[in-house]
Amino acid sequence: MTIKRVGILGAGKVGIVLAGLALDAGYEVRISGSGTVKKIDLIIKTLVPGAIASENRDVVENSDIILLAIPLSRYKNIDPQLLKGKLVIDAMNYWWETDGIREEVLEPDSTSSEQVQAYFKDTTIVKAFNHMGYHNLQEDARPKGNPKRKALFVTGDDHKAVDEVAHFVDTMGFDQVVHYNLADGIMTEPGSPLFGASLKYDELKHIIDHFNETEFGKQVAASQK
């Protein structure tokens, strides 16, 4: 699949930064938010001129790839049929200040991305852009080959989709550490050693490769038995 049009659901800090990166990479960008299109349009014209403010349906229908950048507690507000057949990047995390009580948002026996995939069952979900803070996403993007380039973790169950997202991440200014297991997204969620980290490829890969040796990794492994 050739990605030319990028759709972003969520006009918060992460969504705005991703929209800016996508515009810089030469993509056509549409973005929606929780407010009216008129209100979102004013924000977009100010912060990311060139992006198109629209409603969810228009964003999805006119995009080749979708980024979910809304509070995790709100993903079920989206009709799963809207994203049917789409390639979707899950850039969300549970965050108590925004999402409230964890048990009211997530089941205890699987990762957040697995639950997002279960809800959007006819959609292909790939986890990416979730472990790096929005300031770092904005400031640390670099052209391929730049010695200061940082890396992002990309994982999902569909190999082809993961590879497509990895290429997309490359065009957005980051190297990629790639896995093919959506559940591995737990390694970059809040509470993990990588959450909030802005690291080069070798540094990121080293921590991920040794994840199971950390206390958090042992807890995750124990919970999955």
Side-chain angles (χ1 to χ4, degrees):
M1 180 178 70
T2 300
I3 297 172
K4 295 182 178 180
R5 305 171 302 164
V6 175
I8 301 171
L9 303 185
K13 294 173 181 177
V14 174
I16 293 295
V17 168
L18 292 173
L21 292 176
L23 284 171
D24 289 345
Y27 295 105
E28 178 181 295
V29 179
R30 284 178 168 78
I31 185 169
S32 63
S34 57
T36 64
V37 173
K38 185 176 181 180
K39 179 180 178 181
I40 298 300
D41 187 52
L42 180 61
I43 296 171
I44 297 308
K45 285 180 178 178
T46 302
L47 298 179
V48 277
I52 302 167
S54 194
E55 297 179 344
N56 284 358
R57 184 167 296 280
D58 179 66
V59 169
V60 173
E61 290 179 350
N62 291 285
S63 299
D64 303 312
I65 192 169
I66 306 295
L67 290 100
L68 275 178
I70 60 177
L72 182 64
S73 55
R74 298 180 191 170
Y75 77 87
K76 288 186 177 179
N77 292 346
I78 300 172
D79 183 349
Q81 290 299 306
L82 181 63
L83 297 179
K84 184 177 181 179
K86 286 289 185 176
L87 173 55
V88 174
I89 297 175
D90 175 13
M92 302 182 293
N93 290 300
Y94 166 78
W95 194 245
W96 68 271
E97 291 182 340
T98 303
D99 298 314
I101 300 171
R102 182 182 181 90
E103 289 74 15
E104 295 180 357
V105 179
L106 294 170
E107 298 294 330
D109 56 351
S110 65
T111 67
S112 63
S113 287
E114 289 176 288
Q115 293 177 50
V116 171
Q117 177 67 87
Y119 178 74
F120 295 108
K121 62 183 181 66
D122 296 317
T123 299
T124 303
I125 299 290
V126 176
K127 188 81 166 180
F129 295 108
N130 69 298
H131 65 82
M132 191 182 290
Y134 69 91
H135 281 302
N136 291 120
L137 284 170
Q138 185 174 44
E139 297 168 5
D140 292 345
R142 297 284 190 280
K144 191 169 185 176
N146 187 298
K148 294 184 178 180
R149 201 180 206 217
K150 301 299 179 66
L152 291 171
F153 186 55
V154 181
T155 192
D157 293 332
D158 185 305
H159 284 220
K160 183 179 179 181
V162 171
D163 290 344
E164 287 174 347
V165 170
H167 175 69
F168 175 71
V169 169
D170 186 31
T171 67
M172 294 279 273
F174 300 91
D175 290 334
Q176 321 90 51
V177 175
V178 174
H179 279 208
Y180 296 102
N181 182 4
L182 189 60
D184 286 351
I186 190 67
M187 294 190 286
T188 59
E189 293 181 1
S192 77
L194 290 174
F195 184 71
S198 179
L199 302 170
K200 294 181 180 179
Y201 175 86
D202 289 342
E203 298 168 324
L204 183 64
K205 190 173 188 306
H206 175 77
I207 293 177
I208 287 174
D209 287 346
H210 290 81
F211 172 79
N212 289 330
E213 298 175 10
T214 67
E215 190 60 35
F216 184 74
K218 292 175 183 177
Q219 292 173 4
V220 170
S223 69
Q224 292 177 341
K225 290 181 179 179

